[in-house]
Amino acid sequence: MRENKIVPGNNPFSEFLEEEIFLKILKDSNYWISQELEDRLIQFISLSVDISAILYHLGTESLITSAYDLLPLDDSRINITEMIHRIPILINRLTRAVYLNVNFVSEEKVIFVFNYHPQYQEKWYDAIFFKGMLNGLTVLFELKNFSIKMLRTKLFGIHMSHKELGDEIQFGADSNEYEMEWSGANLQLSRSRLTKDEVSNKHKVMITSRSDSAAEEISIVDVKDVVGKSRELAIENRDLEAAVEVLKSFKQELERKQQSIAKDLRLAKNIQKGLIPEIIPDWNGIQFWTAFYPMQEVSGDYYDYFPYSSNKLGVSVCDVSGHGVPAAFITALSKLLFSNFKKSKPSETFKNINRELLDLVKQQGYTTCVYVLIHEDYKITYSIAGHPRPILFRNKTKKAEVLEGEGTFLGMFPDGGDTYEDYSVQLEPGDKLFLYTDGLTEAENDKGLAYGEEKLIAEIERYANFSIQETVDIILQNHKEYTMGTDPMDDITLLGFQLSTRFPEFNKHKEAGDSALKNKNFKAAADSFFMAHSILPRDLHTQLSYGKALAYSGEYEKAIHLLETYNRFKTNHFHSHSILGYCYYKQENFEKAELEWKKAHSISDVNLSILYNLTQVYKKTKEQKKMKDVIEKIKRINPNYIHIPTLETQWNKVTSL
């Protein structure tokens, strides 16, 4: 304020401060004012600007400029400890409201207790000013290692934020205390009648000396210079704090964006999780097993299966260029395109997908792929689009070989369709076929050596007598050990399938189970399906029929486990949810029974038996409105439904309870 030109009538405090007093304050920095007026001035200014930093640095300058008067008159030197003992004298000179007690905890640690006289009350701005004064000691004695923090205060909060006060202040305490701790204070001060560079005697000049150096260092310090440097440092600190605040705002914005991106990635991950099948069911005696390890939240690898009809099944493994969301987007497109173009030849499917990807992605991404059609007679027809070739393991010879085939990427070249060809091989009982992405073979160990195709073949042959599940799992476990200590460079996918040698035995048990189930001999059916299920545990027909036989045999817990597993295949078969609802109902788990029967109804909304079952749930739970709504729905679907009179009677009984 004193830097402004003094102009009468330019008093911003005119509401409570006379012009004459205002001008005296501007002219004389030592002009005394009452605490009440001081409080009104500070409160008025703090409404429009944060003055906490100014108060802090005013405290620092007050200590520095007043320290000269605390020095001994006989030119003897004092250290920081002796100066601290004299600080209460300075406090008495500066204010009539506060007195200070100093308690040394150790030679380099002290507690300052500021006590207010009974007629005065603690002020938030005093708390900041006093800590600034203590900071003045560190400036004066050139301390490098120190800490100053407020421990407790009678205040219940600080009006303005000031991070330097301390991190853990006890508010509402019974005293106002600061703790100061330091090390390496080897500077001493003394008064001098000399002047620096023969300047005016108005300047306060001190002599500093360091007693621990090999040769004692003595220098002359002008207090005005120290104050000037302190102000420069304060300005630099304010600039630095402003820069920190800007960086902090950038950091917060970046964190918000990262959180938004992370949220989007989680959403994309969940969507992709729904696109890529968790498990592939057994089909016509062939068992599948997959290992899928995305490098990031979402993957560029993709695999899927596509039932053509009862006599053909398509299987694909793809590797989209790049990673993250763009790659995941193309995997979603791939699922759609493979579902749309289920041609009789894999090469024809590739030609159509290549054309569509070019139109949709505009050469901004591409995918490699191997696509396999498994025929009812176990003839395998496949085509390759820039992808690692399949590896076939022959059970008779116990040898694995890389199959032939080539073709260019999908979605990159307009004439790519000319490169796709069909290749075929006959699968025999016990044979295994492996489809994988190059992330598997190109992964390196800590010596920079790639896993490689030859090692993969050796591993396949090494576990010749293992099931397809065991083979895939062990290969991936060994692969993990091989690459231990390195970061993954790419997504990894390994899909294997094997023609069971026990398929004729499976069919025998399955037929026996179907016959027993048809004759409602549920116990015999369950026994036969158990044998079939133990051979091909992911055969969907057997799994559902086995679950039904168990449910109607009263083995609800086993049936629930089996049907829950069946529903993971996402077949959307209303019958599986219907039977599962029945099992929960029999266990009196009405909440889950309701949920499963609602799922069944959403799949087949004309099946009145499901709606009837729901009314029985609501009858048990005494939910009158829900029961009435379902009865009305049944009437709309079929007014002549035979159980309507019974249901209305039941509803009347529920309402009368």
PDB file of all heavy atoms in Angstrom, residues 1-2 4-14 16-28 31 33 37 41 45:
ATOM      1  N   MET A   1       0.829  -1.197   0.000  1.00  0.00           N
ATOM      2  CA  MET A   1       0.000   0.000   0.000  1.00  0.00           C
ATOM      3  C   MET A   1       0.865   1.249   0.000  1.00  0.00           C
ATOM      4  O   MET A   1       0.546   2.241  -0.620  1.00  0.00           O
ATOM      5  CB  MET A   1      -0.922  -0.010   1.219  1.00  0.00           C
ATOM      6  CG  MET A   1      -1.948   1.113   1.243  1.00  0.00           C
ATOM      7  SD  MET A   1      -2.883   1.087   2.761  1.00  0.00           S
ATOM      8  CE  MET A   1      -3.719  -0.471   2.594  1.00  0.00           C
ATOM      9  N   ARG A   2       2.027   1.177   0.747  1.00  0.00           N
ATOM     10  CA  ARG A   2       2.871   2.354   0.846  1.00  0.00           C
ATOM     11  C   ARG A   2       3.557   2.679  -0.482  1.00  0.00           C
ATOM     12  O   ARG A   2       4.129   3.736  -0.653  1.00  0.00           O
ATOM     13  CB  ARG A   2       3.921   2.149   1.935  1.00  0.00           C
ATOM     14  CG  ARG A   2       3.313   2.059   3.331  1.00  0.00           C
ATOM     15  CD  ARG A   2       4.385   2.055   4.400  1.00  0.00           C
ATOM     16  NE  ARG A   2       3.780   1.979   5.720  1.00  0.00           N
ATOM     17  CZ  ARG A   2       3.522   0.851   6.363  1.00  0.00           C
ATOM     18  NH1 ARG A   2       3.831  -0.286   5.803  1.00  0.00           N
ATOM     19  NH2 ARG A   2       2.971   0.870   7.552  1.00  0.00           N
ATOM     20  N   ASN A   4       1.968   2.992  -3.203  1.00  0.00           N
ATOM     21  CA  ASN A   4       1.044   3.825  -3.973  1.00  0.00           C
ATOM     22  C   ASN A   4       1.281   5.303  -3.650  1.00  0.00           C
ATOM     23  O   ASN A   4       1.725   5.674  -2.568  1.00  0.00           O
ATOM     24  CB  ASN A   4      -0.404   3.476  -3.634  1.00  0.00           C
ATOM     25  CG  ASN A   4      -0.742   2.061  -4.052  1.00  0.00           C
ATOM     26  OD1 ASN A   4      -0.112   1.534  -4.959  1.00  0.00           O
ATOM     27  ND2 ASN A   4      -1.702   1.455  -3.372  1.00  0.00           N
ATOM     28  N   LYS A   5       0.982   6.137  -4.579  1.00  0.00           N
ATOM     29  CA  LYS A   5       1.092   7.580  -4.365  1.00  0.00           C
ATOM     30  C   LYS A   5       0.020   8.024  -3.388  1.00  0.00           C
ATOM     31  O   LYS A   5      -1.139   7.653  -3.490  1.00  0.00           O
ATOM     32  CB  LYS A   5       0.924   8.323  -5.694  1.00  0.00           C
ATOM     33  CG  LYS A   5       1.163   9.827  -5.577  1.00  0.00           C
ATOM     34  CD  LYS A   5       1.033  10.471  -6.944  1.00  0.00           C
ATOM     35  CE  LYS A   5       1.262  11.973  -6.847  1.00  0.00           C
ATOM     36  NZ  LYS A   5       1.138  12.641  -8.158  1.00  0.00           N
ATOM     37  N   ILE A   6       0.450   8.801  -2.340  1.00  0.00           N
ATOM     38  CA  ILE A   6      -0.499   9.237  -1.309  1.00  0.00           C
ATOM     39  C   ILE A   6      -1.350  10.370  -1.863  1.00  0.00           C
ATOM     40  O   ILE A   6      -0.871  11.474  -2.113  1.00  0.00           O
ATOM     41  CB  ILE A   6       0.252   9.700  -0.046  1.00  0.00           C
ATOM     42  CG1 ILE A   6       1.115   8.554   0.486  1.00  0.00           C
ATOM     43  CG2 ILE A   6      -0.709  10.188   1.004  1.00  0.00           C
ATOM     44  CD1 ILE A   6       1.998   8.944   1.648  1.00  0.00           C
ATOM     45  N   VAL A   7      -2.585  10.104  -2.062  1.00  0.00           N
ATOM     46  CA  VAL A   7      -3.513  11.098  -2.610  1.00  0.00           C
ATOM     47  C   VAL A   7      -4.697  11.223  -1.664  1.00  0.00           C
ATOM     48  O   VAL A   7      -5.395  10.237  -1.408  1.00  0.00           O
ATOM     49  CB  VAL A   7      -4.008  10.697  -4.019  1.00  0.00           C
ATOM     50  CG1 VAL A   7      -4.976  11.744  -4.544  1.00  0.00           C
ATOM     51  CG2 VAL A   7      -2.839  10.503  -4.965  1.00  0.00           C
ATOM     52  N   PRO A   8      -4.943  12.397  -1.095  1.00  0.00           N
ATOM     53  CA  PRO A   8      -6.104  12.591  -0.215  1.00  0.00           C
ATOM     54  C   PRO A   8      -7.398  12.190  -0.922  1.00  0.00           C
ATOM     55  O   PRO A   8      -7.590  12.473  -2.101  1.00  0.00           O
ATOM     56  CB  PRO A   8      -6.065  14.086   0.103  1.00  0.00           C
ATOM     57  CG  PRO A   8      -4.629  14.483  -0.085  1.00  0.00           C
ATOM     58  CD  PRO A   8      -4.121  13.631  -1.203  1.00  0.00           C
ATOM     59  N   GLY A   9      -8.247  11.526  -0.193  1.00  0.00           N
ATOM     60  CA  GLY A   9      -9.519  11.097  -0.774  1.00  0.00           C
ATOM     61  C   GLY A   9      -9.455   9.724  -1.419  1.00  0.00           C
ATOM     62  O   GLY A   9     -10.464   9.219  -1.879  1.00  0.00           O
ATOM     63  N   ASN A  10      -8.243   9.139  -1.427  1.00  0.00           N
ATOM     64  CA  ASN A  10      -8.085   7.816  -2.034  1.00  0.00           C
ATOM     65  C   ASN A  10      -8.034   6.745  -0.947  1.00  0.00           C
ATOM     66  O   ASN A  10      -7.177   5.875  -0.946  1.00  0.00           O
ATOM     67  CB  ASN A  10      -6.805   7.799  -2.874  1.00  0.00           C
ATOM     68  CG  ASN A  10      -6.689   6.548  -3.733  1.00  0.00           C
ATOM     69  OD1 ASN A  10      -7.701   5.964  -4.104  1.00  0.00           O
ATOM     70  ND2 ASN A  10      -5.464   6.150  -4.022  1.00  0.00           N
ATOM     71  N   ASN A  11      -8.918   6.822  -0.003  1.00  0.00           N
ATOM     72  CA  ASN A  11      -8.935   5.943   1.169  1.00  0.00           C
ATOM     73  C   ASN A  11      -9.941   4.806   0.949  1.00  0.00           C
ATOM     74  O   ASN A  11     -11.150   5.029   0.966  1.00  0.00           O
ATOM     75  CB  ASN A  11      -9.312   6.761   2.406  1.00  0.00           C
ATOM     76  CG  ASN A  11      -9.405   5.896   3.650  1.00  0.00           C
ATOM     77  OD1 ASN A  11      -9.015   4.736   3.643  1.00  0.00           O
ATOM     78  ND2 ASN A  11      -9.925   6.480   4.720  1.00  0.00           N
ATOM     79  N   PRO A  12      -9.446   3.566   0.750  1.00  0.00           N
ATOM     80  CA  PRO A  12     -10.381   2.446   0.516  1.00  0.00           C
ATOM     81  C   PRO A  12     -11.123   2.022   1.778  1.00  0.00           C
ATOM     82  O   PRO A  12     -12.058   1.227   1.707  1.00  0.00           O
ATOM     83  CB  PRO A  12      -9.459   1.333   0.016  1.00  0.00           C
ATOM     84  CG  PRO A  12      -8.128   1.645   0.611  1.00  0.00           C
ATOM     85  CD  PRO A  12      -8.039   3.146   0.681  1.00  0.00           C
ATOM     86  N   PHE A  13     -10.680   2.513   2.954  1.00  0.00           N
ATOM     87  CA  PHE A  13     -11.302   2.121   4.214  1.00  0.00           C
ATOM     88  C   PHE A  13     -12.143   3.267   4.799  1.00  0.00           C
ATOM     89  O   PHE A  13     -12.307   3.381   6.016  1.00  0.00           O
ATOM     90  CB  PHE A  13     -10.222   1.724   5.234  1.00  0.00           C
ATOM     91  CG  PHE A  13      -9.170   0.815   4.675  1.00  0.00           C
ATOM     92  CD1 PHE A  13      -7.894   1.298   4.383  1.00  0.00           C
ATOM     93  CD2 PHE A  13      -9.450  -0.517   4.428  1.00  0.00           C
ATOM     94  CE1 PHE A  13      -6.928   0.465   3.876  1.00  0.00           C
ATOM     95  CE2 PHE A  13      -8.471  -1.366   3.917  1.00  0.00           C
ATOM     96  CZ  PHE A  13      -7.211  -0.876   3.625  1.00  0.00           C
ATOM     97  N   SER A  14     -12.645   4.118   3.963  1.00  0.00           N
ATOM     98  CA  SER A  14     -13.320   5.341   4.411  1.00  0.00           C
ATOM     99  C   SER A  14     -14.522   5.067   5.300  1.00  0.00           C
ATOM    100  O   SER A  14     -14.939   5.931   6.079  1.00  0.00           O
ATOM    101  CB  SER A  14     -13.756   6.172   3.197  1.00  0.00           C
ATOM    102  OG  SER A  14     -14.594   5.391   2.348  1.00  0.00           O
ATOM    103  N   PHE A  16     -14.737   3.147   7.871  1.00  0.00           N
ATOM    104  CA  PHE A  16     -14.408   3.032   9.291  1.00  0.00           C
ATOM    105  C   PHE A  16     -13.063   3.664   9.661  1.00  0.00           C
ATOM    106  O   PHE A  16     -12.654   3.618  10.817  1.00  0.00           O
ATOM    107  CB  PHE A  16     -14.399   1.550   9.714  1.00  0.00           C
ATOM    108  CG  PHE A  16     -13.440   0.684   8.928  1.00  0.00           C
ATOM    109  CD1 PHE A  16     -12.112   0.563   9.308  1.00  0.00           C
ATOM    110  CD2 PHE A  16     -13.875  -0.003   7.810  1.00  0.00           C
ATOM    111  CE1 PHE A  16     -11.255  -0.244   8.600  1.00  0.00           C
ATOM    112  CE2 PHE A  16     -13.017  -0.802   7.093  1.00  0.00           C
ATOM    113  CZ  PHE A  16     -11.695  -0.929   7.476  1.00  0.00           C
ATOM    114  N   LEU A  17     -12.329   4.267   8.669  1.00  0.00           N
ATOM    115  CA  LEU A  17     -11.017   4.851   8.943  1.00  0.00           C
ATOM    116  C   LEU A  17     -10.986   6.294   8.446  1.00  0.00           C
ATOM    117  O   LEU A  17     -11.226   6.551   7.257  1.00  0.00           O
ATOM    118  CB  LEU A  17      -9.919   4.025   8.257  1.00  0.00           C
ATOM    119  CG  LEU A  17      -8.489   4.460   8.508  1.00  0.00           C
ATOM    120  CD1 LEU A  17      -8.132   4.332   9.988  1.00  0.00           C
ATOM    121  CD2 LEU A  17      -7.517   3.632   7.662  1.00  0.00           C
ATOM    122  N   GLU A  18     -10.684   7.202   9.368  1.00  0.00           N
ATOM    123  CA  GLU A  18     -10.621   8.616   8.992  1.00  0.00           C
ATOM    124  C   GLU A  18      -9.459   8.860   8.044  1.00  0.00           C
ATOM    125  O   GLU A  18      -8.416   8.201   8.115  1.00  0.00           O
ATOM    126  CB  GLU A  18     -10.459   9.481  10.243  1.00  0.00           C
ATOM    127  CG  GLU A  18     -11.645   9.423  11.189  1.00  0.00           C
ATOM    128  CD  GLU A  18     -11.410  10.253  12.440  1.00  0.00           C
ATOM    129  OE1 GLU A  18     -10.335  10.915  12.506  1.00  0.00           O
ATOM    130  OE2 GLU A  18     -12.273  10.252  13.336  1.00  0.00           O
ATOM    131  N   GLU A  19      -9.649   9.862   7.171  1.00  0.00           N
ATOM    132  CA  GLU A  19      -8.635  10.172   6.168  1.00  0.00           C
ATOM    133  C   GLU A  19      -7.309  10.540   6.828  1.00  0.00           C
ATOM    134  O   GLU A  19      -6.234  10.122   6.368  1.00  0.00           O
ATOM    135  CB  GLU A  19      -9.132  11.330   5.283  1.00  0.00           C
ATOM    136  CG  GLU A  19      -8.201  11.679   4.126  1.00  0.00           C
ATOM    137  CD  GLU A  19      -8.268  10.655   3.007  1.00  0.00           C
ATOM    138  OE1 GLU A  19      -9.253   9.876   2.974  1.00  0.00           O
ATOM    139  OE2 GLU A  19      -7.357  10.632   2.180  1.00  0.00           O
ATOM    140  N   GLU A  20      -7.361  11.274   7.897  1.00  0.00           N
ATOM    141  CA  GLU A  20      -6.140  11.725   8.573  1.00  0.00           C
ATOM    142  C   GLU A  20      -5.338  10.532   9.099  1.00  0.00           C
ATOM    143  O   GLU A  20      -4.109  10.462   8.939  1.00  0.00           O
ATOM    144  CB  GLU A  20      -6.500  12.674   9.722  1.00  0.00           C
ATOM    145  CG  GLU A  20      -5.284  13.211  10.475  1.00  0.00           C
ATOM    146  CD  GLU A  20      -5.681  14.106  11.639  1.00  0.00           C
ATOM    147  OE1 GLU A  20      -6.900  14.362  11.822  1.00  0.00           O
ATOM    148  OE2 GLU A  20      -4.774  14.535  12.362  1.00  0.00           O
ATOM    149  N   ILE A  21      -6.023   9.589   9.733  1.00  0.00           N
ATOM    150  CA  ILE A  21      -5.352   8.390  10.258  1.00  0.00           C
ATOM    151  C   ILE A  21      -4.803   7.544   9.117  1.00  0.00           C
ATOM    152  O   ILE A  21      -3.705   6.987   9.198  1.00  0.00           O
ATOM    153  CB  ILE A  21      -6.324   7.556  11.115  1.00  0.00           C
ATOM    154  CG1 ILE A  21      -6.897   8.400  12.254  1.00  0.00           C
ATOM    155  CG2 ILE A  21      -5.646   6.313  11.652  1.00  0.00           C
ATOM    156  CD1 ILE A  21      -5.846   8.915  13.203  1.00  0.00           C
ATOM    157  N   PHE A  22      -5.578   7.470   8.031  1.00  0.00           N
ATOM    158  CA  PHE A  22      -5.138   6.701   6.856  1.00  0.00           C
ATOM    159  C   PHE A  22      -3.816   7.229   6.323  1.00  0.00           C
ATOM    160  O   PHE A  22      -2.889   6.465   6.031  1.00  0.00           O
ATOM    161  CB  PHE A  22      -6.230   6.756   5.780  1.00  0.00           C
ATOM    162  CG  PHE A  22      -5.823   6.137   4.466  1.00  0.00           C
ATOM    163  CD1 PHE A  22      -5.612   4.769   4.357  1.00  0.00           C
ATOM    164  CD2 PHE A  22      -5.637   6.931   3.332  1.00  0.00           C
ATOM    165  CE1 PHE A  22      -5.246   4.198   3.143  1.00  0.00           C
ATOM    166  CE2 PHE A  22      -5.266   6.368   2.134  1.00  0.00           C
ATOM    167  CZ  PHE A  22      -5.071   4.996   2.033  1.00  0.00           C
ATOM    168  N   LEU A  23      -3.688   8.560   6.215  1.00  0.00           N
ATOM    169  CA  LEU A  23      -2.451   9.173   5.700  1.00  0.00           C
ATOM    170  C   LEU A  23      -1.291   8.965   6.671  1.00  0.00           C
ATOM    171  O   LEU A  23      -0.142   8.752   6.250  1.00  0.00           O
ATOM    172  CB  LEU A  23      -2.677  10.663   5.445  1.00  0.00           C
ATOM    173  CG  LEU A  23      -3.665  10.997   4.311  1.00  0.00           C
ATOM    174  CD1 LEU A  23      -3.899  12.495   4.239  1.00  0.00           C
ATOM    175  CD2 LEU A  23      -3.130  10.482   2.986  1.00  0.00           C
ATOM    176  N   LYS A  24      -1.545   9.021   7.974  1.00  0.00           N
ATOM    177  CA  LYS A  24      -0.486   8.795   8.950  1.00  0.00           C
ATOM    178  C   LYS A  24       0.051   7.362   8.861  1.00  0.00           C
ATOM    179  O   LYS A  24       1.252   7.124   8.992  1.00  0.00           O
ATOM    180  CB  LYS A  24      -1.005   9.075  10.359  1.00  0.00           C
ATOM    181  CG  LYS A  24      -1.194  10.558  10.661  1.00  0.00           C
ATOM    182  CD  LYS A  24      -1.686  10.771  12.083  1.00  0.00           C
ATOM    183  CE  LYS A  24      -1.844  12.266  12.375  1.00  0.00           C
ATOM    184  NZ  LYS A  24      -2.318  12.501  13.768  1.00  0.00           N
ATOM    185  N   ILE A  25      -0.856   6.412   8.659  1.00  0.00           N
ATOM    186  CA  ILE A  25      -0.425   5.002   8.516  1.00  0.00           C
ATOM    187  C   ILE A  25       0.467   4.847   7.297  1.00  0.00           C
ATOM    188  O   ILE A  25       1.487   4.151   7.323  1.00  0.00           O
ATOM    189  CB  ILE A  25      -1.650   4.071   8.421  1.00  0.00           C
ATOM    190  CG1 ILE A  25      -2.407   4.057   9.740  1.00  0.00           C
ATOM    191  CG2 ILE A  25      -1.227   2.656   8.043  1.00  0.00           C
ATOM    192  CD1 ILE A  25      -3.716   3.297   9.695  1.00  0.00           C
ATOM    193  N   LEU A  26       0.100   5.522   6.202  1.00  0.00           N
ATOM    194  CA  LEU A  26       0.898   5.420   4.977  1.00  0.00           C
ATOM    195  C   LEU A  26       2.281   6.047   5.156  1.00  0.00           C
ATOM    196  O   LEU A  26       3.281   5.534   4.633  1.00  0.00           O
ATOM    197  CB  LEU A  26       0.169   6.099   3.818  1.00  0.00           C
ATOM    198  CG  LEU A  26      -1.090   5.408   3.291  1.00  0.00           C
ATOM    199  CD1 LEU A  26      -1.704   6.243   2.170  1.00  0.00           C
ATOM    200  CD2 LEU A  26      -0.773   4.015   2.771  1.00  0.00           C
ATOM    201  N   LYS A  27       2.365   7.151   5.908  1.00  0.00           N
ATOM    202  CA  LYS A  27       3.633   7.867   6.066  1.00  0.00           C
ATOM    203  C   LYS A  27       4.556   7.204   7.080  1.00  0.00           C
ATOM    204  O   LYS A  27       5.775   7.218   6.934  1.00  0.00           O
ATOM    205  CB  LYS A  27       3.363   9.314   6.494  1.00  0.00           C
ATOM    206  CG  LYS A  27       2.735  10.177   5.422  1.00  0.00           C
ATOM    207  CD  LYS A  27       2.452  11.583   5.958  1.00  0.00           C
ATOM    208  CE  LYS A  27       1.797  12.463   4.898  1.00  0.00           C
ATOM    209  NZ  LYS A  27       1.492  13.815   5.432  1.00  0.00           N
ATOM    210  N   ASP A  28       3.987   6.604   8.116  1.00  0.00           N
ATOM    211  CA  ASP A  28       4.800   6.096   9.219  1.00  0.00           C
ATOM    212  C   ASP A  28       4.487   4.622   9.459  1.00  0.00           C
ATOM    213  O   ASP A  28       3.401   4.272   9.928  1.00  0.00           O
ATOM    214  CB  ASP A  28       4.498   6.911  10.486  1.00  0.00           C
ATOM    215  CG  ASP A  28       5.371   6.480  11.656  1.00  0.00           C
ATOM    216  OD1 ASP A  28       6.232   5.595  11.462  1.00  0.00           O
ATOM    217  OD2 ASP A  28       5.182   7.030  12.754  1.00  0.00           O
ATOM    218  N   TYR A  31       3.502   3.749  13.041  1.00  0.00           N
ATOM    219  CA  TYR A  31       2.348   4.434  13.633  1.00  0.00           C
ATOM    220  C   TYR A  31       1.476   3.416  14.366  1.00  0.00           C
ATOM    221  O   TYR A  31       1.070   2.395  13.799  1.00  0.00           O
ATOM    222  CB  TYR A  31       1.544   5.141  12.547  1.00  0.00           C
ATOM    223  CG  TYR A  31       0.382   5.942  13.096  1.00  0.00           C
ATOM    224  CD1 TYR A  31       0.601   7.187  13.695  1.00  0.00           C
ATOM    225  CD2 TYR A  31      -0.913   5.452  13.035  1.00  0.00           C
ATOM    226  CE1 TYR A  31      -0.457   7.922  14.206  1.00  0.00           C
ATOM    227  CE2 TYR A  31      -1.976   6.170  13.543  1.00  0.00           C
ATOM    228  CZ  TYR A  31      -1.740   7.407  14.130  1.00  0.00           C
ATOM    229  OH  TYR A  31      -2.797   8.132  14.645  1.00  0.00           O
ATOM    230  N   ILE A  33      -1.700   1.677  16.039  1.00  0.00           N
ATOM    231  CA  ILE A  33      -3.157   1.634  15.924  1.00  0.00           C
ATOM    232  C   ILE A  33      -3.676   0.584  16.894  1.00  0.00           C
ATOM    233  O   ILE A  33      -2.944  -0.315  17.324  1.00  0.00           O
ATOM    234  CB  ILE A  33      -3.630   1.294  14.493  1.00  0.00           C
ATOM    235  CG1 ILE A  33      -3.102  -0.077  14.049  1.00  0.00           C
ATOM    236  CG2 ILE A  33      -3.219   2.376  13.512  1.00  0.00           C
ATOM    237  CD1 ILE A  33      -3.622  -0.539  12.713  1.00  0.00           C
ATOM    238  N   LEU A  37      -8.827  -1.774  15.371  1.00  0.00           N
ATOM    239  CA  LEU A  37      -8.682  -1.212  14.035  1.00  0.00           C
ATOM    240  C   LEU A  37      -7.847  -2.122  13.150  1.00  0.00           C
ATOM    241  O   LEU A  37      -8.161  -2.318  11.964  1.00  0.00           O
ATOM    242  CB  LEU A  37      -8.043   0.185  14.122  1.00  0.00           C
ATOM    243  CG  LEU A  37      -7.800   0.897  12.787  1.00  0.00           C
ATOM    244  CD1 LEU A  37      -9.106   1.033  11.995  1.00  0.00           C
ATOM    245  CD2 LEU A  37      -7.171   2.268  13.011  1.00  0.00           C
ATOM    246  N   LEU A  41      -9.054  -3.688   9.572  1.00  0.00           N
ATOM    247  CA  LEU A  41      -8.285  -3.490   8.333  1.00  0.00           C
ATOM    248  C   LEU A  41      -7.950  -4.825   7.672  1.00  0.00           C
ATOM    249  O   LEU A  41      -8.144  -5.008   6.464  1.00  0.00           O
ATOM    250  CB  LEU A  41      -6.999  -2.711   8.629  1.00  0.00           C
ATOM    251  CG  LEU A  41      -7.152  -1.227   8.949  1.00  0.00           C
ATOM    252  CD1 LEU A  41      -5.840  -0.665   9.488  1.00  0.00           C
ATOM    253  CD2 LEU A  41      -7.592  -0.447   7.713  1.00  0.00           C
ATOM    254  N   ILE A  45      -9.339  -6.335   4.027  1.00  0.00           N
ATOM    255  CA  ILE A  45      -8.440  -6.664   2.910  1.00  0.00           C
ATOM    256  C   ILE A  45      -8.563  -8.140   2.534  1.00  0.00           C
ATOM    257  O   ILE A  45      -8.585  -8.501   1.348  1.00  0.00           O
ATOM    258  CB  ILE A  45      -6.979  -6.329   3.273  1.00  0.00           C
ATOM    259  CG1 ILE A  45      -6.823  -4.823   3.508  1.00  0.00           C
ATOM    260  CG2 ILE A  45      -6.028  -6.785   2.170  1.00  0.00           C
ATOM    261  CD1 ILE A  45      -5.476  -4.434   4.092  1.00  0.00           C
TER     262      ILE A  45
END
